[in-house]
Amino acid sequence: MTYHLAYMNLRGRGEPVRWVLKALDVSFTEERIDVLTQWLSRKNEFEWGQTPVLMVDGVQLHQTTTICRYLGEKHHLASTDLWNATRQQEVVEAFHDVSFDFSLAFTARIKQDETLKNNSLEKARKRLLEIVLILESRITDQGWVLSHDMTWVDVFLAAYLESYSAYFPEILEGVSKTQALMECVMALPVIKAWLKIRPHWSSLEDPQNFL
Amino acid sequence: MTYHLAYMNLRGRGEPVRWVLKALDVSFTEERIDVLTQWLSRKNEFEWGQTPVLMVDGVQLHQTTTICRYLGEKHHLASTDLWNATRQQEVVEAFHDVSFDFSLAFTARIKQDETLKNNSLEKARKRLLEIVLILESRITDQGWVLSHDMTWVDVFLAAYLESYSAYFPEILEGVSKTQALMECVMALPVIKAWLKIRPHWSSLEDPQNFL
């Protein structure tokens, strides 16, 4: 099995895939496509015209949640009970949905549409405050989402939580299990090492100049 | 197993769930919540503040694609090979993504924001023209998406195709396998019966006065 990840030079939807690949300890190569100077001319290389794309033995697989679930199941870092896996997926999709608001805000910012940018960010913030409460209620005494042991779902959520909370730190207030889940994943040696060497936020998505 | 579907008085994201439930021939009850007069006061009854919600033995399950996949796997109308199921899910998510553009257009229309409404609809139309071509390439000689036999994925896609093509008939031009897939699902006796008795489009989403 060879894995090659193609994504833009952003955290965005790529970071959950990177974290899951790291946590699985599978080897992979990665290319980062510059949003402003390279993306438009390279878009057509991708079957669906979108990234992240994971090349699996040379075949393009797209869709963030589909890629991560595939990796988790393939490498046995997944719940095998259908109902549990479904209830986990429900949380995964809810957090991924928020990336659509960020994506809208991101595009609006590039187009200098301040109203749409601010509305989209506020929508994301309000939604995150609601859904972390549900996540919190689904974390077991062992610290993972509806599971005795860590699954890809925890890694995926931790990656989004770490990004989203850089924009809105308040989403982690009063949800101690959620915060602990994120920190446990960040303390995994492979993730800890990644956090030290990963590129800084692109200036386009850096919370410092985005909000 | 008891199933109860809660969704607004729309086709939207509810119709794929309805079709999958019908195709599985499981019994279910349904409530339709009026968007304008009931939704705001009932929103808080739903754990995630969203519908469609499928009550599974009284437990709320949300997220359209998660609900449908769960039903398909639970009732064995699903591919069991991980790679195949993943490649099907990729198509499912791509078609579901378009519902975000429709949802934006829908809200923009209610708020009388003509520019956002038209931009969102045009984005949906262009995306659909791209992704039906990929769907077309993944339909087997037997007529189903990456499968010898019909799965929940085909039913799900047929429901979205039937709705989306009511807005943009051109998405079915030149993709004969896709059109045949949709028609085969619509010809299933349970779906055929549903098409005869289902409520007409809500005036809010009726393509006749939406475009």
Side-chain angles (χ1 to χ4, degrees):
Chain A
M1 221 85 211
T2 64
Y3 294 125
H4 176 75
L5 175 64
Y7 188 59
M8 289 173 281
N9 57 337
L10 301 172
R11 295 191 186 168
R13 290 172 178 151
E15 206 62 10
V17 186
R18 295 183 189 114
W19 286 35
V20 169
L21 283 161
K22 298 273 177 192
L24 291 171
D25 213 9
V26 292
S27 69
F28 69 101
T29 50
E30 186 185 351
E31 64 190 307
R32 298 170 70 90
I33 302 164
D34 189 273
V35 188
L36 296 180
T37 63
Q38 299 176 310
W39 173 244
L40 269 183
S41 64
R42 295 206 48 199
K43 193 174 155 74
N44 287 338
E45 289 171 29
F46 300 99
E47 186 181 16
W48 297 86
Q50 287 179 342
T51 56
V53 161
L54 185 71
M55 306 280 284
V56 181
D57 285 344
V59 179
Q60 292 187 9
L61 180 63
H62 99 309
Q63 289 286 347
T64 311
T65 63
T66 304
I67 292 170
C68 292
R69 179 171 179 157
Y70 168 74
L71 286 168
E73 295 191 353
K74 179 80 187 171
H75 296 282
H76 311 293
L77 197 73
S79 289
T80 50
D81 173 75
L82 175 62
W83 180 244
N84 256 9
T86 299
R87 300 287 277 168
Q88 293 168 339
Q89 187 77 29
E90 204 185 358
V91 184
V92 161
E93 297 295 343
F95 274 80
H96 182 65
D97 278 355
V98 176
S99 75
F100 284 87
D101 296 317
F102 272 96
S103 170
L104 259 183
F106 186 78
T107 314
R109 182 174 176 236
I110 292 174
K111 292 182 179 165
Q112 299 183 304
D113 182 340
E114 278 291 305
T115 310
L116 183 59
K117 190 203 92 171
N118 292 334
N119 289 349
S120 304
L121 282 176
E122 181 56 13
K123 197 173 156 212
R125 196 185 70 84
K126 282 172 74 175
R127 185 64 181 157
L128 283 165
L129 287 169
E130 291 166 0
I131 66 180
V132 286
L133 295 178
I134 306 175
L135 167 59
E136 182 80 359
S137 71
R138 295 199 184 180
I139 297 175
T140 60
D141 290 343
Q142 289 78 31
W144 310 113
V145 181
L146 299 174
S147 174
H148 189 280
D149 303 298
M150 189 183 81
T151 69
W152 70 270
V153 169
D154 303 299
V155 181
F156 176 98
L157 292 173
Y160 264 143
L161 284 167
E162 196 256 344
S163 284
Y164 291 153
S165 65
Y167 294 89
F168 309 118
E170 63 266 39
I171 65 169
L172 293 177
E173 281 169 22
V175 284
S176 55
K177 285 175 157 186
T178 299
Q179 179 143 12
L181 179 148
M182 186 187 83
E183 286 166 1
C184 280
V185 172
M186 289 169 71
L188 295 173
V190 279
I191 301 295
K192 206 168 172 176
W194 169 240
L195 295 179
K196 277 190 191 144
I197 60 161
R198 68 176 170 175
H200 193 266
W201 293 98
S202 147
S203 63
L204 288 172
E205 65 171 351
D206 190 338
Q208 291 302 316
N209 46 39
F210 198 94
L211 296 174
Chain B
M1 222 80 213
T2 64
Y3 295 124
H4 176 76
L5 175 63
Y7 188 59
M8 290 175 280
N9 57 338
L10 301 172
R11 294 190 187 170
R13 290 171 177 152
E15 206 61 10
V17 186
R18 295 181 189 116
W19 287 35
V20 169
L21 283 162
K22 298 273 177 193
L24 291 171
D25 213 9
V26 293
S27 70
F28 69 102
T29 50
E30 186 184 352
E31 64 189 308
R32 299 169 70 90
I33 302 165
D34 189 273
V35 188
L36 296 181
T37 64
Q38 300 176 308
W39 173 243
L40 269 182
S41 64
R42 296 208 46 199
K43 193 174 156 75
N44 287 339
E45 290 172 29
F46 300 99
E47 186 181 14
W48 297 85
Q50 288 180 341
T51 56
V53 160
L54 185 71
M55 307 281 284
V56 181
D57 285 343
V59 179
Q60 293 187 10
L61 180 65
H62 98 307
Q63 288 287 347
T64 313
T65 63
T66 303
I67 293 170
C68 292
R69 180 170 178 159
Y70 168 74
L71 287 168
E73 294 190 355
K74 180 79 186 171
H75 297 281
H76 311 294
L77 197 73
S79 290
T80 51
D81 173 74
L82 175 62
W83 181 245
N84 255 10
T86 299
R87 300 287 277 168
Q88 292 169 339
Q89 188 77 29
E90 205 185 357
V91 185
V92 161
E93 297 296 342
F95 275 80
H96 182 65
D97 278 355
V98 176
S99 75
F100 285 87
D101 295 318
F102 271 96
S103 171
L104 258 184
F106 187 77
T107 314
R109 182 176 175 235
I110 291 175
K111 291 182 180 167
Q112 300 184 302
D113 183 341
E114 278 291 305
T115 311
L116 183 59
K117 189 202 91 170
N118 292 335
N119 288 350
S120 304
L121 281 176
E122 181 56 14
K123 197 173 157 214
R125 195 185 71 84
K126 282 173 72 176
R127 185 65 181 156
L128 283 165
L129 287 169
E130 291 166 1
I131 66 182
V132 288
L133 295 179
I134 306 175
L135 167 58
E136 182 80 0
S137 72
R138 294 198 185 180
I139 298 175
T140 60
D141 290 344
Q142 290 78 31
W144 311 111
V145 179
L146 299 174
S147 174
H148 189 279
D149 303 298
M150 188 183 82
T151 69
W152 70 271
V153 170
D154 303 299
V155 181
F156 176 99
L157 292 172
Y160 264 143
L161 283 167
E162 196 257 345
S163 283
Y164 292 153
S165 65
Y167 293 88
F168 308 119
E170 62 266 39
I171 65 170
L172 293 177
E173 282 169 22
V175 284
S176 56
K177 284 174 158 188
T178 299
Q179 178 143 14
L181 179 149
M182 185 186 83
E183 286 166 0
C184 281
V185 172
M186 289 169 71
L188 295 173
V190 279
I191 302 295
K192 205 169 173 177
W194 170 238
L195 295 178
K196 276 190 190 145
I197 60 160
R198 69 175 170 176
H200 192 266
W201 293 97
S202 146
S203 63
L204 288 171
E205 66 172 349
D206 190 339
Q208 291 302 318
N209 47 39
F210 198 95
L211 296 175

